[in-house]
Amino acid sequence: AAKKSGKGQIAFCSEDMKNRVLEKMSMTNSLYRAQERNELHLHYQPQVSTVAKEIIGFEALLRWNHPTLGAVSPTVFIPIAERTGLINSIGEWVLLTACAQNKAWQDAGFKPVPMGVNLSLEQFRNANLENIIKKCLAETGLEPKYLELEITEGIAMKESGDVTRCLRELKAIGVSISIDDFGTEFSSLSRLKDLPVDRLKIDMQFIQGISVNAKDESIITVMINLAKRLGLKVIAEGVETAVQLGFLRAENCDEIQGYYYFKPLSSDEIEKNNFELFTKK
Ligand code: C2E
Ligand code: MG
Ligand code: MG
Ligand code: MG
């Protein structure tokens, strides 16, 4: 039975319960096992151009279907994978699977679009990252321009020579690079100027402030203009409502990722629904 605290308030929700159970288990072992037992899979969230009225990309998002706990959020297990170093093998699997899926859709006759893959800082500490990525592209036959690496501001702003060198090398072969959760960490504008970045992803927290907080609206406007003046693309994350969409369109941000259009979906759901927006060539 649920423990009670105070006046009939339930002390935890089911997410908390899952997390506590998880903590009691050996995290490392259950994650190792997850990869071996095929408990990990990817979902794909479409990105939409409101002007062209079509899907212009996807983001690959990792899912863990635990045999007894069910779906575990990546916000819970990614930090564990990072702490244990497991993110290196998991991340390599994500890269390979995302590239293979994107190539398979292209081979099936769908319009070619880039797919974003999230990277953790730990993966850059592995000196081999650029070779891993090149190998994934070579093995799957995906053209580099259809892979977009998503890095957070924290990674992008690391003064580490490794990150810069790795990004420059991948950019040189045609891979694109976006800054994820833009606006939530410290961005040095001079570093932003020097990095080989293609796109800014405006963090959901600002989008949630649309029509609620004028400061969020001003920040969004500034971020859109910053991107445009630097010659970068810009996409808004976490768009859920018509009001949010209306504001963004009025501010000339026409690339949208969010539940308003699509939730992250399995590859089957993407294919079965035969989206009119995901048009055949
Ligand atoms: P992220 O890269 O910023 O991904 C966007 C998150 O926002 C996803 O959460 C997505 O499902 C969610 N989202 C998208 N649209 C909406 C919306 O309209 N409303 C709301 N409320 N949420 C929306 P998710 O899938 O739970 O992933 C959370 C984070 O976990 C990601 O944030 C990313 O930082 C990390 N992550 C996920 N997959 C991977 C991976 O393969 N590798 C690494 N290193 N990190 C990953
Ligand atoms: Mg992302
Ligand atoms: Mg994000
Ligand atoms: Mg995030």
Side-chain angles (χ1 to χ4, degrees):
K3 246 194 305 186
K4 292 191 174 178
S5 76
K7 291 182 180 150
Q9 272 198 321
I10 294 168
F12 50 77
C13 65
S14 67
E15 271 305 309
D16 282 344
M17 265 173 82
K18 278 188 195 174
N19 298 349
R20 257 182 254 171
V21 175
L22 270 173
E23 266 158 27
K24 283 185 193 144
M25 299 165 66
S26 161
M27 301 291 179
T28 314
N29 285 343
S30 63
L31 260 184
Y32 267 118
R33 217 188 42 200
Q35 212 182 349
E36 283 165 9
R37 295 188 184 176
N38 297 321
E39 292 166 14
L40 299 178
H41 57 279
L42 294 183
H43 274 185
Y44 305 92
Q45 187 174 30
Q47 301 169 338
V48 176
S49 160
T50 58
V51 170
K53 298 211 177 344
E54 61 184 11
I55 293 176
I56 45 109
F58 290 93
E59 177 174 4
L61 292 158
L62 189 55
R63 296 291 177 259
W64 181 13
N65 195 9
H66 190 282
T68 54
L69 300 172
V72 183
S73 168
T75 59
V76 173
F77 71 82
I78 295 283
I80 299 166
E82 290 174 345
R83 276 202 302 277
T84 56
L86 264 174
I87 194 66
N88 282 302
S89 63
I90 292 175
E92 189 169 343
W93 177 86
V94 170
L95 279 160
L96 187 64
T97 307
C99 290
Q101 180 62 80
N102 202 9
K103 182 67 165 73
W105 280 337
Q106 294 182 6
D107 289 348
F110 288 111
K111 183 188 57 174
V113 292
M115 184 178 289
V117 172
N118 294 285
L119 291 179
S120 295
L121 180 58
E122 284 66 22
Q123 291 173 271
F124 285 90
R125 297 206 167 110
N126 177 346
N128 218 10
L129 182 61
E130 59 265 37
N131 291 328
I132 288 170
I133 290 171
K134 285 177 187 169
K135 199 185 76 188
C136 288
L137 291 167
E139 271 178 26
T140 59
L142 184 73
E143 281 181 69
K145 66 177 173 187
Y146 296 121
L147 174 63
E148 177 177 51
L149 304 175
E150 296 199 3
I151 57 171
T152 59
E153 278 177 302
I155 298 176
M157 297 306 143
K158 276 268 177 257
E159 288 301 329
S160 137
D162 285 352
V163 172
T164 315
R165 188 189 39 75
C166 182
L167 292 179
R168 290 226 170 98
E169 197 172 314
L170 291 167
K171 176 74 186 168
I173 64 161
V175 172
S176 57
I177 294 152
S178 67
I179 305 213
D180 205 355
D181 306 343
F182 190 71
T184 60
E185 293 177 81
F186 293 106
S187 252
S188 143
L189 295 180
S190 72
R191 177 124 173 97
L192 190 61
K193 180 189 72 179
D194 292 333
L195 276 176
V197 170
D198 298 280
R199 174 150 85 155
L200 304 183
K201 301 191 74 178
I202 300 176
D203 191 72
M204 185 159 68
Q205 79 173 63
F206 302 106
I207 308 307
Q208 284 166 344
I210 292 173
S211 83
V212 178
N213 185 333
K215 286 185 183 172
D216 282 320
E217 294 184 352
S218 300
I219 291 168
I220 292 169
T221 303
V222 167
M223 290 195 287
I224 293 167
N225 289 329
L226 175 69
K228 298 212 160 166
R229 295 300 289 263
L230 292 177
L232 308 177
K233 293 190 289 175
V234 60
I235 185 166
E237 289 194 276
V239 178
E240 294 181 348
T241 70
V243 170
Q244 293 166 349
L245 179 64
F247 176 86
L248 291 161
R249 293 196 64 176
E251 297 297 321
N252 295 312
C253 177
D254 84 279
E255 296 193 354
I256 303 292
Q257 182 180 342
Y259 296 173
Y260 181 80
Y261 285 112
F262 298 106
K263 291 197 166 179
L265 301 164
S266 68
S267 55
D268 281 354
E269 288 171 310
I270 301 246
E271 289 157 18
K272 273 188 203 134
N273 281 290
N274 192 20
F275 294 116
E276 60 182 50
L277 290 170
F278 191 34
T279 44
K280 294 259 183 182
K281 272 193 292 213

